[in-house]
Coordinates of all heavy atoms in Angstrom, one line a residue:
M1 N 11.2 -13.7 -16.4 CA 11.7 -13.1 -15.3 C 11.6 -11.5 -15.5 O 11.8 -11.1 -16.6 CB 13.1 -13.5 -15.0 CG 13.7 -12.9 -13.8 SD 14.9 -13.9 -12.9 CE 16.4 -13.6 -13.8
S2 N 11.2 -10.8 -14.5 CA 11.0 -9.4 -14.6 C 12.4 -8.6 -14.5 O 13.3 -9.1 -14.0 CB 10.1 -8.8 -13.5 OG 10.6 -9.1 -12.2
E3 N 12.3 -7.4 -15.1 CA 13.5 -6.6 -15.1 C 13.8 -6.0 -13.7 O 12.9 -5.8 -13.0 CB 13.3 -5.4 -16.1 CG 13.2 -5.8 -17.5 CD 14.5 -6.4 -18.1 OE1 15.6 -5.8 -17.8 OE2 14.5 -7.4 -18.8
P4 N 15.1 -5.8 -13.3 CA 15.4 -5.2 -12.0 C 14.8 -3.8 -12.0 O 14.8 -3.1 -13.0 CB 16.9 -5.2 -12.0 CG 17.4 -6.1 -13.0 CD 16.3 -6.2 -14.0
V5 N 14.4 -3.4 -10.8 CA 13.8 -2.0 -10.6 C 15.0 -1.1 -10.3 O 15.8 -1.4 -9.5 CB 12.8 -2.0 -9.4 CG1 12.4 -0.6 -9.1 CG2 11.7 -2.9 -9.7
P6 N 15.1 0.0 -11.1 CA 16.2 1.0 -10.9 C 16.1 1.5 -9.4 O 15.0 1.7 -8.8 CB 15.9 2.1 -11.8 CG 15.0 1.5 -12.9 CD 14.2 0.4 -12.2
T7 N 17.3 1.7 -8.9 CA 17.4 2.2 -7.5 C 16.6 3.5 -7.3 O 15.9 3.6 -6.2 CB 18.9 2.4 -7.1 OG1 19.6 1.2 -7.3 CG2 19.0 2.9 -5.7
A8 N 16.6 4.4 -8.2 CA 15.9 5.7 -8.0 C 14.4 5.5 -7.9 O 13.7 6.1 -7.2 CB 16.2 6.6 -9.2
V9 N 13.9 4.5 -8.7 CA 12.5 4.2 -8.6 C 12.1 3.6 -7.3 O 11.1 3.9 -6.7 CB 12.1 3.3 -9.8 CG1 10.6 2.8 -9.7 CG2 12.2 4.0 -11.1
A10 N 13.0 2.6 -6.8 CA 12.7 2.0 -5.5 C 12.8 3.0 -4.4 O 11.9 3.0 -3.5 CB 13.8 0.9 -5.3
K11 N 13.7 4.0 -4.5 CA 13.8 5.0 -3.4 C 12.5 5.9 -3.4 O 12.0 6.2 -2.4 CB 15.0 5.9 -3.6 CG 16.3 5.2 -3.2 CD 17.5 6.1 -3.4 CE 18.8 5.3 -3.0 NZ 19.9 6.2 -3.1
Q12 N 12.0 6.3 -4.6 CA 10.8 7.1 -4.7 C 9.6 6.3 -4.2 O 8.8 6.9 -3.5 CB 10.6 7.6 -6.1 CG 9.5 8.6 -6.2 CD 9.8 9.9 -5.5 OE1 10.8 10.5 -5.5 NE2 8.8 10.3 -4.7
A13 N 9.5 5.1 -4.5 CA 8.4 4.2 -4.0 C 8.5 4.2 -2.5 O 7.4 4.3 -1.8 CB 8.5 2.8 -4.6
T14 N 9.7 4.0 -1.9 CA 9.8 4.0 -0.5 C 9.3 5.3 0.2 O 8.6 5.2 1.2 CB 11.3 3.7 -0.1 OG1 11.6 2.4 -0.6 CG2 11.4 3.6 1.4
I15 N 9.6 6.4 -0.4 CA 9.1 7.7 0.1 C 7.6 7.7 0.1 O 7.0 8.1 1.1 CB 9.7 8.8 -0.7 CG1 11.2 9.0 -0.5 CG2 9.0 10.2 -0.4 CD1 12.0 9.9 -1.4
H16 N 7.0 7.3 -1.0 CA 5.5 7.3 -1.0 C 4.9 6.4 0.0 O 4.0 6.7 0.7 CB 5.0 7.0 -2.4 CG 5.3 8.0 -3.5 ND1 4.9 9.3 -3.4 CD2 6.0 7.9 -4.7 CE1 5.3 10.0 -4.5 NE2 6.0 9.1 -5.3
L17 N 5.5 5.2 0.1 CA 5.0 4.2 1.0 C 5.2 4.6 2.5 O 4.3 4.3 3.3 CB 5.6 2.8 0.7 CG 5.3 2.2 -0.6 CD1 6.1 0.9 -0.8 CD2 3.8 1.8 -0.7
S18 N 6.3 5.3 2.7 CA 6.5 5.8 4.1 C 5.4 6.8 4.5 O 5.0 6.7 5.7 CB 7.9 6.4 4.2 OG 8.9 5.5 4.0
D19 N 5.1 7.7 3.6 CA 4.0 8.6 3.9 C 2.7 7.9 4.2 O 1.9 8.2 5.1 CB 3.8 9.6 2.8 CG 5.0 10.5 2.6 OD1 5.8 10.7 3.5 OD2 5.1 11.1 1.5
L20 N 2.4 6.9 3.4 CA 1.2 6.1 3.6 C 1.2 5.3 4.9 O 0.2 5.2 5.6 CB 1.0 5.2 2.4 CG -0.3 4.3 2.4 CD1 -1.5 5.1 2.4 CD2 -0.3 3.4 1.1
Q21 N 2.4 4.8 5.2 CA 2.6 4.0 6.4 C 2.2 4.8 7.6 O 1.5 4.3 8.5 CB 4.0 3.5 6.5 CG 4.4 2.8 7.7 CD 5.9 2.4 7.8 OE1 6.7 3.1 7.2 NE2 6.2 1.3 8.4
T22 N 2.7 6.0 7.6 CA 2.4 6.9 8.8 C 0.9 7.1 9.0 O 0.4 7.0 10.1 CB 3.0 8.3 8.6 OG1 4.5 8.1 8.5 CG2 2.7 9.2 9.7
L23 N 0.1 7.4 7.9 CA -1.3 7.6 8.0 C -2.0 6.3 8.4 O -3.0 6.3 9.2 CB -1.9 8.1 6.7 CG -1.4 9.5 6.3 CD1 -2.0 9.8 4.9 CD2 -1.8 10.5 7.3
L24 N -1.6 5.1 7.9 CA -2.2 3.9 8.3 C -2.0 3.5 9.8 O -2.9 3.1 10.5 CB -1.7 2.8 7.4 CG -2.2 2.9 5.9 CD1 -1.4 1.9 5.0 CD2 -3.7 2.6 5.8
Q25 N -0.8 3.8 10.2 CA -0.5 3.6 11.6 C -1.3 4.5 12.6 O -1.7 4.1 13.6 CB 1.0 3.7 11.9 CG 1.8 2.6 11.3 CD 3.3 2.8 11.4 OE1 3.8 3.9 11.5 NE2 4.0 1.6 11.3
E26 N -1.6 5.7 12.1 CA -2.4 6.6 12.9 C -3.8 6.1 13.0 O -4.6 6.4 13.9 CB -2.4 8.0 12.2 CG -1.1 8.7 12.4 CD -1.1 10.1 11.6 OE1 -2.1 10.4 10.9 OE2 0.0 10.7 11.7
Q27 N -4.3 5.2 12.0 CA -5.6 4.6 12.1 C -5.6 3.3 12.9 O -6.6 2.7 13.1 CB -6.0 4.1 10.6 CG -6.3 5.3 9.7 CD -6.8 4.7 8.3 OE1 -7.3 3.6 8.2 NE2 -6.5 5.5 7.3
G28 N -4.4 3.0 13.5 CA -4.3 1.8 14.3 C -3.9 0.5 13.6 O -3.9 -0.6 14.2
L29 N -3.6 0.6 12.3 CA -3.2 -0.5 11.5 C -1.7 -0.7 11.7 O -1.0 0.2 11.9 CB -3.6 -0.4 10.0 CG -5.1 -0.3 9.8 CD1 -5.3 0.2 8.3 CD2 -5.8 -1.6 10.1
H30 N -1.2 -2.0 11.6 CA 0.2 -2.2 11.5 C 0.6 -2.1 10.1 O 0.0 -2.7 9.2 CB 0.5 -3.6 12.1 CG 0.3 -3.7 13.5 ND1 0.4 -4.9 14.2 CD2 -0.2 -2.8 14.5 CE1 0.2 -4.7 15.5 NE2 -0.2 -3.5 15.7
A31 N 1.7 -1.4 9.8 CA 2.2 -1.3 8.5 C 3.7 -1.3 8.5 O 4.4 -0.6 9.3 CB 1.7 0.1 7.9
R32 N 4.3 -2.1 7.6 CA 5.7 -2.3 7.6 C 6.2 -2.3 6.1 O 5.6 -3.1 5.3 CB 6.1 -3.6 8.2 CG 7.5 -3.9 8.2 CD 7.8 -5.2 9.0 NE 9.2 -5.6 8.8 CZ 9.7 -6.8 8.9 NH1 8.8 -7.8 9.2 NH2 10.9 -7.0 8.7
I33 N 7.2 -1.6 5.8 CA 7.8 -1.6 4.5 C 8.7 -2.8 4.3 O 9.6 -3.0 5.1 CB 8.5 -0.3 4.1 CG1 7.5 0.9 4.2 CG2 9.2 -0.4 2.8 CD1 8.1 2.2 4.0
L34 N 8.5 -3.5 3.2 CA 9.3 -4.7 2.9 C 10.2 -4.4 1.7 O 9.6 -3.9 0.7 CB 8.4 -5.9 2.6 CG 7.4 -6.2 3.7 CD1 6.5 -7.3 3.2 CD2 8.0 -6.7 5.0
T35 N 11.4 -4.6 1.8 CA 12.3 -4.3 0.7 C 13.1 -5.6 0.3 O 13.3 -6.5 1.1 CB 13.3 -3.2 1.0 OG1 14.1 -3.6 2.1 CG2 12.6 -1.9 1.3
Q36 N 13.4 -5.6 -1.0 CA 14.2 -6.7 -1.6 C 15.0 -6.1 -2.7 O 14.4 -5.3 -3.5 CB 13.3 -7.8 -2.1 CG 14.0 -9.0 -2.6 CD 13.0 -10.1 -3.0 OE1 11.8 -9.9 -2.9 NE2 13.6 -11.2 -3.5
P37 N 16.3 -6.3 -2.8 CA 17.1 -5.7 -3.8 C 16.5 -5.9 -5.2 O 16.1 -7.0 -5.6 CB 18.5 -6.4 -3.7 CG 18.5 -6.8 -2.3 CD 17.1 -7.2 -1.9
E38 N 16.5 -4.9 -6.0 CA 16.1 -4.9 -7.4 C 14.6 -5.1 -7.6 O 14.2 -5.4 -8.7 CB 16.9 -5.8 -8.2 CG 18.4 -5.5 -8.3 CD 19.2 -6.4 -9.2 OE1 18.7 -7.5 -9.6 OE2 20.4 -6.1 -9.4
H39 N 13.8 -5.0 -6.6 CA 12.4 -5.1 -6.6 C 11.7 -3.9 -6.0 O 12.3 -3.1 -5.2 CB 11.9 -6.3 -5.8 CG 12.3 -7.6 -6.5 ND1 13.5 -8.2 -6.4 CD2 11.5 -8.5 -7.2 CE1 13.5 -9.3 -7.0 NE2 12.3 -9.5 -7.5
L40 N 10.5 -3.6 -6.4 CA 9.7 -2.5 -5.8 C 9.5 -2.8 -4.3 O 9.2 -4.0 -4.0 CB 8.4 -2.3 -6.5 CG 8.3 -1.4 -7.7 CD1 6.9 -1.5 -8.3 CD2 8.7 0.0 -7.4
P41 N 9.7 -1.9 -3.4 CA 9.3 -2.1 -2.0 C 7.8 -2.3 -1.9 O 7.0 -1.8 -2.8 CB 9.8 -0.8 -1.3 CG 9.9 0.2 -2.4 CD 10.2 -0.5 -3.7
R42 N 7.4 -2.9 -0.9 CA 6.0 -3.2 -0.7 C 5.6 -2.7 0.8 O 6.5 -2.8 1.6 CB 5.6 -4.7 -0.8 CG 6.0 -5.2 -2.2 CD 6.0 -6.7 -2.3 NE 6.6 -7.5 -1.2 CZ 7.9 -7.7 -1.0 NH1 8.8 -7.2 -1.8 NH2 8.3 -8.5 0.0
L43 N 4.4 -2.4 1.0 CA 3.9 -2.1 2.3 C 2.9 -3.1 2.8 O 1.8 -3.3 2.2 CB 3.2 -0.7 2.3 CG 2.8 -0.1 3.6 CD1 4.0 0.1 4.6 CD2 2.0 1.2 3.5
R44 N 3.3 -3.9 3.8 CA 2.4 -4.9 4.3 C 1.6 -4.3 5.4 O 2.1 -3.7 6.3 CB 3.2 -6.1 4.9 CG 2.3 -7.2 5.4 CD 3.0 -8.5 5.4 NE 2.3 -9.5 6.1 CZ 1.3 -10.2 5.5 NH1 1.0 -10.0 4.3 NH2 0.7 -11.2 6.2
V45 N 0.3 -4.3 5.3 CA -0.7 -3.7 6.2 C -1.5 -4.8 6.8 O -2.1 -5.6 6.1 CB -1.5 -2.6 5.5 CG1 -2.4 -1.9 6.5 CG2 -0.7 -1.7 4.7
I46 N -1.6 -4.7 8.2 CA -2.4 -5.7 8.9 C -3.3 -5.0 9.9 O -2.9 -4.1 10.6 CB -1.5 -6.7 9.6 CG1 -0.5 -7.4 8.7 CG2 -2.3 -7.7 10.5 CD1 0.6 -8.2 9.3
N47 N -4.5 -5.5 10.0 CA -5.4 -5.1 11.0 C -5.1 -5.9 12.3 O -5.4 -7.1 12.3 CB -6.9 -5.3 10.6 CG -7.9 -4.8 11.7 OD1 -7.6 -4.9 12.8 ND2 -9.1 -4.4 11.2
P48 N -4.6 -5.3 13.3 CA -4.2 -6.1 14.5 C -5.3 -6.7 15.2 O -5.2 -7.7 16.0 CB -3.4 -5.1 15.4 CG -4.0 -3.8 15.0 CD -4.3 -3.9 13.5
G49 N -6.5 -6.2 15.0 CA -7.7 -6.7 15.7 C -8.3 -7.9 14.9 O -9.1 -8.7 15.5
C50 N -7.8 -8.1 13.7 CA -8.3 -9.2 12.9 C -7.2 -9.5 11.8 O -7.2 -9.0 10.7 CB -9.6 -8.9 12.2 SG -10.3 -10.2 11.2
T51 N -6.2 -10.3 12.3 CA -5.0 -10.4 11.5 C -5.2 -11.1 10.1 O -4.3 -11.1 9.2 CB -3.9 -11.1 12.2 OG1 -4.4 -12.4 12.7 CG2 -3.4 -10.3 13.4
A52 N -6.4 -11.7 9.9 CA -6.7 -12.3 8.6 C -6.9 -11.2 7.6 O -6.8 -11.4 6.4 CB -7.9 -13.2 8.7
L53 N -7.2 -10.0 8.1 CA -7.4 -8.8 7.2 C -6.0 -8.2 7.0 O -5.6 -7.4 7.8 CB -8.4 -7.9 7.7 CG -9.8 -8.4 7.8 CD1 -10.7 -7.5 8.6 CD2 -10.4 -8.7 6.5
C54 N -5.4 -8.4 5.9 CA -4.1 -7.9 5.6 C -4.0 -7.6 4.1 O -4.8 -8.2 3.3 CB -3.0 -8.8 6.0 SG -3.0 -10.4 5.3
E55 N -3.1 -6.8 3.7 CA -2.9 -6.4 2.3 C -1.5 -6.0 2.0 O -0.8 -5.5 3.0 CB -3.9 -5.3 1.9 CG -3.9 -4.9 0.4 CD -4.1 -6.1 -0.5 OE1 -5.1 -6.8 -0.4 OE2 -3.3 -6.2 -1.4
V56 N -1.0 -6.2 0.8 CA 0.3 -5.7 0.4 C 0.1 -4.6 -0.7 O -0.5 -4.9 -1.7 CB 1.1 -6.8 -0.1 CG1 2.5 -6.3 -0.6 CG2 1.3 -7.9 1.0
I57 N 0.6 -3.4 -0.4 CA 0.4 -2.3 -1.2 C 1.7 -1.9 -1.9 O 2.8 -2.0 -1.2 CB -0.1 -1.1 -0.4 CG1 -1.4 -1.4 0.4 CG2 -0.3 0.2 -1.3 CD1 -2.6 -1.8 -0.4
T58 N 1.7 -1.5 -3.1 CA 2.9 -1.0 -3.8 C 2.6 0.4 -4.3 O 1.5 0.9 -4.3 CB 3.3 -1.8 -5.0 OG1 2.2 -1.9 -5.9 CG2 3.7 -3.2 -4.6
A59 N 3.7 1.1 -4.6 CA 3.7 2.4 -5.2 C 4.5 2.3 -6.4 O 5.7 1.9 -6.4 CB 4.2 3.5 -4.3
A60 N 3.9 2.7 -7.6 CA 4.7 2.5 -8.8 C 4.2 3.5 -9.9 O 3.0 4.0 -9.8 CB 4.5 1.1 -9.4
P61 N 5.1 3.9 -10.8 CA 4.8 4.8 -11.8 C 4.2 4.1 -13.0 O 4.8 3.0 -13.4 CB 6.1 5.5 -12.2 CG 7.1 4.5 -11.9 CD 6.6 3.7 -10.7
V62 N 3.2 4.6 -13.6 CA 2.7 4.0 -14.9 C 2.5 5.2 -15.8 O 1.8 6.2 -15.5 CB 1.4 3.3 -14.7 CG1 0.8 2.9 -16.1 CG2 1.5 2.1 -13.9
E63 N 3.3 5.2 -16.9 CA 3.3 6.3 -17.9 C 3.6 7.6 -17.2 O 3.0 8.7 -17.4 CB 1.9 6.4 -18.6 CG 1.6 5.2 -19.5 CD 0.3 5.2 -20.2 OE1 -0.3 6.3 -20.2 OE2 -0.1 4.2 -20.7
G64 N 4.6 7.6 -16.3 CA 5.1 8.8 -15.6 C 4.2 9.2 -14.4 O 4.6 10.2 -13.7
E65 N 3.1 8.6 -14.1 CA 2.2 9.0 -13.0 C 2.3 7.9 -11.9 O 2.1 6.8 -12.1 CB 0.8 9.1 -13.5 CG 0.5 10.2 -14.5 CD 0.8 11.6 -13.9 OE1 0.5 11.8 -12.7 OE2 1.3 12.4 -14.7
W66 N 2.7 8.4 -10.7 CA 2.8 7.5 -9.5 C 1.4 7.2 -8.9 O 0.6 8.2 -8.7 CB 3.7 8.1 -8.5 CG 5.2 7.9 -8.8 CD1 5.9 8.7 -9.6 CD2 6.0 6.9 -8.4 NE1 7.2 8.2 -9.7 CE2 7.3 7.1 -8.9 CE3 5.8 5.7 -7.6 CZ2 8.4 6.3 -8.7 CZ3 6.9 4.9 -7.3 CH2 8.1 5.2 -7.9
S67 N 1.2 6.0 -8.6 CA -0.1 5.6 -7.9 C 0.2 4.5 -6.9 O 1.3 3.8 -7.0 CB -1.1 5.0 -8.9 OG -1.5 6.0 -9.8
F68 N -0.7 4.4 -5.9 CA -0.6 3.3 -5.0 C -1.5 2.2 -5.6 O -2.5 2.4 -6.3 CB -1.3 3.6 -3.6 CG -0.5 4.6 -2.8 CD1 -1.0 5.9 -2.6 CD2 0.8 4.3 -2.3 CE1 -0.2 6.8 -1.9 CE2 1.5 5.2 -1.6 CZ 1.0 6.5 -1.4
W69 N -1.0 0.9 -5.4 CA -1.7 -0.2 -6.1 C -2.0 -1.3 -5.1 O -1.2 -1.6 -4.2 CB -0.7 -0.8 -7.1 CG -0.4 0.1 -8.2 CD1 0.5 1.1 -8.2 CD2 -1.1 0.2 -9.5 NE1 0.4 1.8 -9.4 CE2 -0.5 1.2 -10.2 CE3 -2.1 -0.6 -10.1 CZ2 -0.9 1.6 -11.5 CZ3 -2.5 -0.3 -11.4 CH2 -1.9 0.8 -12.1
W70 N -3.2 -1.9 -5.3 CA -3.6 -3.1 -4.5 C -2.7 -4.3 -5.0 O -2.2 -4.3 -6.1 CB -5.1 -3.5 -4.7 CG -6.0 -2.5 -4.2 CD1 -6.8 -1.6 -5.0 CD2 -6.4 -2.2 -2.9 NE1 -7.6 -0.9 -4.2 CE2 -7.3 -1.2 -2.9 CE3 -5.9 -2.7 -1.6 CZ2 -7.9 -0.7 -1.7 CZ3 -6.5 -2.2 -0.5 CH2 -7.5 -1.2 -0.5
S71 N -2.7 -5.4 -4.2 CA -1.9 -6.6 -4.6 C -2.5 -7.2 -5.9 O -1.8 -7.9 -6.6 CB -1.9 -7.6 -3.5 OG -3.2 -8.0 -3.2
W72 N -3.7 -7.0 -6.2 CA -4.3 -7.6 -7.4 C -4.2 -6.6 -8.7 O -4.9 -6.8 -9.7 CB -5.8 -8.0 -7.2 CG -6.7 -6.9 -6.8 CD1 -7.4 -6.0 -7.6 CD2 -7.0 -6.5 -5.4 NE1 -8.1 -5.1 -6.8 CE2 -7.9 -5.4 -5.5 CE3 -6.7 -7.0 -4.2 CZ2 -8.5 -4.8 -4.3 CZ3 -7.2 -6.4 -3.0 CH2 -8.1 -5.3 -3.1
A73 N -3.2 -5.7 -8.6 CA -2.8 -4.8 -9.7 C -3.9 -3.8 -10.1 O -4.0 -3.5 -11.3 CB -2.4 -5.6 -10.9
E74 N -4.7 -3.4 -9.1 CA -5.7 -2.3 -9.4 C -5.2 -1.1 -8.7 O -4.8 -1.1 -7.5 CB -7.1 -2.8 -8.9 CG -8.1 -1.7 -9.1 CD -9.5 -2.2 -8.6 OE1 -9.8 -3.4 -8.8 OE2 -10.2 -1.4 -8.1
P75 N -5.3 0.1 -9.3 CA -4.8 1.3 -8.7 C -5.8 1.7 -7.5 O -7.0 1.5 -7.6 CB -4.8 2.4 -9.8 CG -5.7 1.8 -10.8 CD -5.7 0.3 -10.7
I76 N -5.2 2.3 -6.5 CA -6.0 2.8 -5.3 C -6.2 4.3 -5.5 O -7.4 4.7 -5.7 CB -5.2 2.5 -4.0 CG1 -5.0 1.0 -3.8 CG2 -6.1 3.1 -2.8 CD1 -4.0 0.7 -2.7
T77 N -5.1 5.1 -5.6 CA -5.2 6.5 -5.8 C -3.8 6.9 -6.3 O -2.8 6.2 -6.2 CB -5.5 7.3 -4.6 OG1 -4.4 7.2 -3.7 CG2 -6.8 7.0 -3.9
P78 N -3.7 8.1 -6.9 CA -2.4 8.7 -7.2 C -1.7 8.9 -5.9 O -2.3 9.1 -4.8 CB -2.7 10.0 -7.9 CG -4.1 9.9 -8.4 CD -4.8 9.0 -7.4
T79 N -0.4 8.8 -5.9 CA 0.4 9.0 -4.6 C 0.2 10.4 -4.1 O 0.5 10.6 -2.9 CB 1.9 8.6 -4.8 OG1 2.4 9.4 -5.9 CG2 2.1 7.2 -5.1
S80 N -0.2 11.3 -4.9 CA -0.4 12.7 -4.4 C -1.7 12.8 -3.5 O -1.9 13.8 -2.8 CB -0.6 13.6 -5.6 OG -1.8 13.2 -6.4
D81 N -2.5 11.7 -3.4 CA -3.7 11.7 -2.6 C -3.5 10.6 -1.5 O -4.3 9.6 -1.4 CB -4.9 11.5 -3.4 CG -6.2 11.7 -2.7 OD1 -6.1 12.1 -1.5 OD2 -7.3 11.6 -3.3
T82 N -2.5 10.7 -0.7 CA -2.2 9.7 0.3 C -3.3 9.5 1.3 O -3.6 8.4 1.7 CB -0.9 10.0 1.0 OG1 0.1 10.3 0.1 CG2 -0.4 8.9 2.0
A83 N -4.0 10.6 1.7 CA -5.1 10.5 2.7 C -6.2 9.6 2.2 O -6.7 8.8 2.9 CB -5.6 11.9 3.0
T84 N -6.6 9.8 0.9 CA -7.7 9.0 0.4 C -7.2 7.5 0.3 O -8.0 6.6 0.6 CB -8.1 9.5 -1.0 OG1 -8.6 10.8 -0.8 CG2 -9.2 8.6 -1.6
A85 N -6.0 7.3 -0.1 CA -5.5 5.9 -0.2 C -5.5 5.2 1.2 O -6.0 4.1 1.3 CB -4.0 5.9 -0.7
A86 N -5.1 6.0 2.2 CA -5.1 5.4 3.6 C -6.6 5.1 4.0 O -6.9 4.1 4.6 CB -4.5 6.4 4.6
E87 N -7.5 6.0 3.7 CA -8.9 5.8 4.0 C -9.5 4.5 3.3 O -10.1 3.7 3.9 CB -9.7 7.0 3.6 CG -11.2 6.9 3.8 CD -11.9 8.2 3.3 OE1 -11.5 9.3 3.6 OE2 -12.9 8.0 2.6
R88 N -9.1 4.4 2.1 CA -9.6 3.2 1.3 C -9.0 1.9 1.8 O -9.7 0.9 2.0 CB -9.3 3.4 -0.2 CG -10.2 4.4 -0.8 CD -9.9 4.6 -2.3 NE -10.7 5.7 -2.8 CZ -10.6 6.2 -4.0 NH1 -9.6 5.8 -4.8 NH2 -11.4 7.2 -4.4
I89 N -7.8 1.9 2.1 CA -7.1 0.7 2.7 C -7.7 0.4 4.0 O -8.0 -0.8 4.3 CB -5.6 0.9 2.7 CG1 -5.0 1.1 1.3 CG2 -4.9 -0.2 3.4 CD1 -3.6 1.6 1.2
G90 N -7.8 1.4 4.9 CA -8.4 1.2 6.2 C -9.8 0.6 6.1 O -10.2 -0.3 6.8
H91 N -10.6 1.1 5.1 CA -12.0 0.6 4.9 C -12.0 -0.9 4.5 O -12.7 -1.7 5.1 CB -12.7 1.4 3.8 CG -14.0 0.9 3.5 ND1 -15.1 1.2 4.3 CD2 -14.5 0.1 2.5 CE1 -16.2 0.6 3.8 NE2 -15.8 0.0 2.7
V92 N -11.1 -1.3 3.6 CA -11.0 -2.7 3.2 C -10.5 -3.6 4.3 O -11.0 -4.7 4.4 CB -10.0 -2.8 2.0 CG1 -9.7 -4.2 1.7 CG2 -10.7 -2.1 0.7
L93 N -9.7 -3.1 5.2 CA -9.1 -3.9 6.3 C -9.9 -3.8 7.6 O -9.5 -4.3 8.6 CB -7.7 -3.6 6.5 CG -6.7 -3.8 5.3 CD1 -5.3 -3.5 5.7 CD2 -6.8 -5.2 4.8
T94 N -11.1 -3.2 7.5 CA -11.9 -3.1 8.7 C -13.2 -4.0 8.5 O -13.9 -3.7 7.6 CB -12.3 -1.6 9.0 OG1 -11.1 -0.9 9.1 CG2 -13.1 -1.5 10.2
P95 N -13.3 -5.0 9.4 CA -14.5 -5.8 9.3 C -15.8 -5.0 9.5 O -15.8 -4.1 10.4 CB -14.4 -6.9 10.3 CG -13.4 -6.3 11.3 CD -12.6 -5.3 10.6
T96 N -16.8 -5.3 8.8 CA -18.1 -4.6 9.0 C -18.8 -5.3 10.2 O -18.6 -6.5 10.5 CB -19.0 -4.7 7.8 OG1 -19.2 -6.1 7.5 CG2 -18.4 -4.0 6.6
A97 N -19.5 -4.5 11.0 CA -20.3 -5.1 12.1 C -21.4 -6.0 11.6 O -22.0 -5.7 10.6 CB -20.8 -3.9 12.9
H98 N -21.6 -7.0 12.3 CA -22.7 -8.0 11.9 C -24.0 -7.3 12.2 O -24.3 -6.9 13.3 CB -22.5 -9.3 12.7 CG -23.6 -10.2 12.4 ND1 -23.7 -10.8 11.1 CD2 -24.6 -10.7 13.1 CE1 -24.8 -11.6 11.2 NE2 -25.3 -11.6 12.4
Q99 N -24.8 -7.2 11.2 CA -26.1 -6.6 11.3 C -27.2 -7.7 11.4 O -27.2 -8.6 10.6 CB -26.4 -5.8 10.0 CG -25.4 -4.6 9.8 CD -25.7 -3.5 10.7 OE1 -26.8 -3.2 11.1 NE2 -24.7 -2.7 11.0
P100 N -28.0 -7.7 12.5 CA -29.0 -8.7 12.6 C -30.0 -8.6 11.4 O -30.3 -7.5 10.9 CB -29.7 -8.4 13.9 CG -29.1 -7.2 14.5 CD -28.0 -6.8 13.6
A101 N -30.5 -9.7 11.0 CA -31.5 -9.7 9.8 C -32.8 -9.1 10.2 O -33.3 -9.1 11.2 CB -31.6 -11.1 9.3

């Protein structure tokens, strides 16, 4: 079982995720912060035009550096680069147009 997340860490994660949420919503994606006591908050992001395209993003510190993280535990960007994180998430959640062969 994992250790409880300190309240200060959860609050800082929520601040980072809120900034990211705003940028993703400006791109037309649905984004909602999910919280649970003693756990890191998560940002659920859904493409409303294709709801199968969704992702859960976290913000967490590793060795003192905060980053946004994909659900498969790969970093997206440092939280100081929210615009690039939003761009990458938007790219992953946007279907590519079908190109004729």
Side-chain angles (χ1 to χ4, degrees):
M1 184 148 83
S2 62
E3 294 291 319
V5 173
T7 302
V9 172
K11 285 181 181 181
Q12 187 62 47
T14 300
I15 291 167
H16 292 304
L17 292 173
S18 293
D19 293 342
L20 181 59
Q21 177 184 29
T22 298
L23 293 177
L24 292 167
Q25 289 174 334
E26 288 172 0
Q27 292 181 27
L29 298 170
H30 291 179
R32 179 176 171 207
I33 296 176
L34 307 172
T35 60
Q36 185 177 359
E38 299 184 347
H39 290 79
L40 275 174
R42 301 166 321 277
L43 183 64
R44 180 157 174 84
V45 187
I46 301 171
N47 179 331
C50 183
T51 57
L53 294 173
C54 60
E55 183 55 54
V56 177
I57 306 298
T58 57
V62 174
E63 297 179 12
E65 297 294 325
W66 280 86
S67 293
F68 292 113
W69 296 82
W70 296 109
S71 59
W72 57 88
E74 182 177 321
I76 303 169
T77 66
T79 55
S80 59
D81 193 1
T82 307
T84 299
E87 180 182 310
R88 289 179 182 170
I89 295 164
H91 177 77
V92 167
L93 298 183
T94 302
T96 58
H98 178 66
Q99 300 282 333

